[in-house]
Amino acid sequence: MATCWNCGDTYDVPDGIMRDSECPHCTAYLRCCRNCGFYEPEAHNACHETMAPLQADKEVANACDYFRPAGEVRPARGKSKTDLDSLFKGD
């Protein structure tokens, strides 16, 4: 199950989100920056994936290879640093 960035409706994606996939409730594009787990308005180019190509309109369908449905990518802020700190602590 995934959630639409525009209306908040949940939808099933058994075959994945294709470039032309639309929300069954509001018809917003699903494979767009706004629905991606890497999307972050405050980040450079509004994307946490540094290798992703610039997408000028964040609400239009795109074919970005780094697209991941929101909820699959974002770890809690600070989690990576905590993981690294625990890795390098002595027993």
Side-chain angles (χ1 to χ4, degrees):
M1 292 299 278
T3 304
C4 174
W5 66 270
N6 187 50
C7 69
D9 194 29
T10 57
Y11 53 91
D12 195 22
V13 287
D15 298 325
I17 300 174
M18 302 300 150
R19 185 175 191 274
D20 60 349
S21 296
E22 294 181 346
C23 173
H25 183 256
C26 71
T27 68
Y29 288 112
L30 297 176
R31 191 183 179 98
C32 67
C33 295
R34 292 285 306 269
N35 214 41
C36 181
F38 289 114
Y39 176 73
E40 182 65 47
E42 293 82 27
H44 179 67
N45 292 334
C47 185
H48 278 295
E49 175 49 64
T50 58
M51 299 299 291
L54 173 64
Q55 304 294 332
D57 190 338
K58 308 300 183 198
E59 298 176 5
V60 173
N62 63 57
C64 179
D65 290 333
Y66 297 98
F67 176 82
R68 299 293 178 272
E72 288 187 7
V73 176
R74 286 190 199 139
R77 291 189 185 269
K79 183 175 176 356
S80 297
K81 183 172 181 350
T82 304
D83 289 347
L84 282 173
D85 288 346
S86 65
L87 180 66
F88 292 104
K89 279 187 180 176
D91 288 324

